[in-house]
Amino acid sequence: MSQSLCTQEIHWVDTEKSLNELCQRWQASNILAVDTEFMRSQTYYPIAGLIQVNDGNANYLIDPVAIADCSAFAALLINPTIIKVLHSCSEDLEVFQRLLNVVPVNLFDTQIAAALCGYGFSVGYGNLVKAILNKDLPKTETRSDWLQRPLSASQIEYAAIDVEDLFQLAKILVLKLKNVDRLFWLTEECEHILQTYLENQDENKCHVRFKQAWKLNPQKLGVLIKLAVWRERQAKQRDIPRNRVVKEHSLLDIAMTAPNHVGQLRRFDGIAERMIRTDGEHLIQLVQEAMAVDPADYPKAMDKPLTNSENKWVKAMRARIVALAEELDVAPEILLKKRDYEAITRAFIHKEPLDTAEIASHLKSTVGGWRYAIVAEPLADVIGSIQSLDD
């Protein structure tokens, strides 16, 4: 990798003393670009290999493998007066929570900012750097071993240029957002990212990632919830990927048929004999406990996929939102996501007559925030026109 890619100095930080001194200085910063490199292929939790910081003047590569106490950096992340710039931050949040037991506040996610500036939705970092800074980033170290020591010169360059460019991206995107008075849109979006991340840590909601869970009735869904929570806890306890404990389709099959004897587990694909010996009795116990729950306490069944008729509503609303997004020069997905269209459709498709105040109230709770002022009126018009045609 060419040295010319980095225009600022690179500092390797591998002692607690040097990290503490830097963090004390950075506490007076307004903005820091932050990135992480980690390994995760065989574990449930990400293993931090490197933390990169750019303060606008230099690149700092912090070695969490060598530094036992990174609490000074944790304090930095939760300082609400410092903007932390990251790109597509969800995995970084996991790294920080695992390593430091905190998640950063006052985020500036450049992927979200890009969507609000018309660069597309979920744009990759390399593509964004190319679009804004007109630079081609190398991809040679994307899948390298970040736990090895020493890191190669190529790895060090790769890690440093990431945050050097990230800082520059943020400066440009901030100006673009200010020019169109959308900086507060980004603030709301990043706060929502943090809120969603924290909500997703609830083990009792881990069943929602099962794609076919909507096929289960409330009683059988209760079985799946117990099994999914058990798998999540096993994965954490053993620090292995969820599917290494047991695959999703196996738990769905068990929930669907609700076996009442350990020997019946042998019928299910993906349930090994060893697992039956070690966990079979407990799995059957979980199934029986869920099946014995009072019907009044069953979980609510999950929403089924929309019908063809219902999807006509989605298509009509999406067409209006896409047109609106083009007018605003933003990615349409930043205005409304698939789940938003579906929630609105389910709320109104079977209601007659439509009440304008009810539409407004529902849209405010479904969409909310800065979006409401932009999409509420167009959506209400579409909803009214669709139902008129249906009638």
Side-chain angles (χ1 to χ4, degrees):
M1 186 184 297
S2 171
Q3 181 67 28
S4 64
L5 282 176
C6 278
T7 61
Q8 299 174 345
E9 290 186 359
I10 302 172
H11 300 278
W12 182 259
V13 184
D14 60 358
T15 68
E16 187 179 330
K17 180 177 182 294
S18 57
L19 176 62
N20 290 347
E21 289 172 353
L22 283 169
C23 288
Q24 184 175 4
R25 191 176 85 205
W26 287 335
Q27 286 289 356
S29 301
N30 293 321
I31 182 169
L32 295 170
V34 183
D35 192 19
T36 65
E37 304 295 346
F38 59 93
M39 304 292 288
R40 195 184 201 162
S41 60
Q42 301 298 319
T43 60
Y44 177 91
Y45 294 106
I47 305 171
L50 199 64
I51 299 172
Q52 305 105 281
V53 177
N54 182 284
D55 60 4
N57 300 305
N59 304 296
Y60 299 86
L61 307 185
I62 302 167
D63 184 2
V65 177
I67 305 174
D69 184 0
C70 295
S71 56
F73 192 73
L76 198 73
L77 291 179
I78 59 176
N79 184 336
T81 67
I82 305 171
I83 298 171
K84 273 70 69 174
V85 181
L86 298 103
H87 183 85
S88 187
C89 68
S90 59
E91 289 186 316
D92 298 303
L93 298 182
E94 291 186 74
V95 172
F96 290 133
Q97 186 172 55
R98 177 62 175 170
L99 178 67
L100 306 172
N101 199 31
V102 300
V103 290
V105 299
N106 198 0
L107 292 180
F108 184 110
D109 191 314
T110 51
Q111 189 175 69
I112 302 299
L116 294 172
C117 292
Y119 288 101
F121 188 68
S122 292
V123 61
Y125 185 66
N127 289 335
L128 188 60
V129 169
K130 178 64 175 177
I132 295 181
L133 303 180
N134 195 29
K135 290 175 64 173
D136 292 307
L137 290 181
K139 301 178 181 179
T140 54
E141 301 299 336
T142 305
R143 299 188 178 277
S144 65
D145 182 359
W146 292 100
L147 299 179
Q148 70 175 9
R149 292 296 181 269
L151 294 180
S152 68
S154 179
Q155 285 178 301
I156 289 172
E157 280 286 312
Y158 176 93
I161 195 62
D162 261 4
V163 281
E164 184 174 311
D165 286 344
L166 188 60
F167 195 96
Q168 298 306 313
L169 286 177
K171 287 171 58 178
I172 294 169
L173 289 169
V174 164
L175 289 176
K176 287 180 176 291
L177 290 170
K178 282 183 175 179
N179 287 339
V180 289
D181 195 24
R182 292 177 187 171
L183 198 53
F184 74 98
W185 291 11
L186 179 72
T187 300
E188 280 190 23
E189 288 304 292
C190 290
E191 287 175 356
H192 181 67
I193 288 173
L194 282 178
Q195 180 184 348
T196 301
Y197 172 78
L198 293 172
E199 289 174 354
N200 287 343
Q201 304 312 300
D202 185 353
E203 290 178 342
N204 293 311
K205 294 181 179 178
C206 60
H207 65 283
V208 299
R209 66 171 57 93
F210 286 61
K211 295 179 181 178
Q212 302 297 315
W214 61 269
K215 294 182 178 180
L216 302 175
N217 63 33
Q219 184 184 37
K220 299 296 179 62
L221 181 60
V223 176
L224 179 65
I225 291 172
K226 275 189 172 289
L227 295 174
V229 169
W230 170 82
R231 182 178 77 153
E232 195 76 7
R233 291 174 179 170
Q234 287 291 307
K236 290 178 179 178
Q237 181 182 327
R238 295 157 58 184
D239 195 17
I240 60 175
R242 296 179 186 95
N243 279 335
R244 287 272 302 279
V245 178
V246 59
K247 294 219 172 14
E248 180 179 301
H249 74 269
S250 300
L251 291 190
L252 273 166
D253 289 344
I254 293 173
M256 183 73 75
T257 56
N260 54 27
H261 188 274
V262 173
Q264 294 174 316
L265 293 174
R266 292 185 175 88
R267 306 187 312 210
F268 300 104
D269 178 53
I271 305 296
E273 192 65 34
R274 180 180 177 183
M275 182 181 179
I276 293 173
R277 288 196 304 270
T278 57
D279 301 305
E281 292 287 353
H282 186 61
L283 290 175
I284 294 300
Q285 180 183 344
L286 291 175
V287 172
Q288 291 175 338
E289 288 174 0
M291 293 296 288
V293 167
D294 188 301
D297 296 323
Y298 287 165
K300 180 184 176 184
M302 296 179 69
D303 290 323
K304 297 179 180 180
L306 297 182
T307 64
N308 289 336
S309 175
E310 291 167 335
N311 271 316
K312 290 179 182 178
W313 279 52
V314 171
K315 290 178 181 178
M317 287 188 288
R318 177 166 171 73
R320 182 65 184 91
I321 294 301
V322 167
L324 181 60
E326 290 176 357
E327 294 171 18
L328 297 171
D329 192 24
V330 300
E333 295 88 348
I334 204 73
L335 294 180
L336 280 186
K337 296 182 175 61
K338 179 182 177 182
R339 63 175 177 270
D340 299 319
Y341 293 115
E342 292 181 354
I344 295 167
T345 297
R346 290 188 175 99
F348 294 112
I349 193 166
H350 298 302
K351 287 197 172 182
E352 295 183 40
L354 278 174
D355 180 88
T356 304
E358 187 179 1
I359 293 175
S361 175
H362 182 82
L363 291 178
K364 197 160 194 175
S365 63
T366 302
V367 182
W370 61 269
R371 288 181 182 82
Y372 179 75
I374 295 170
V375 305
E377 186 175 339
L379 281 178
D381 290 344
V382 173
I383 292 169
S385 64
I386 296 173
Q387 194 171 65
S388 297
L389 291 174
D390 288 348
D391 292 344

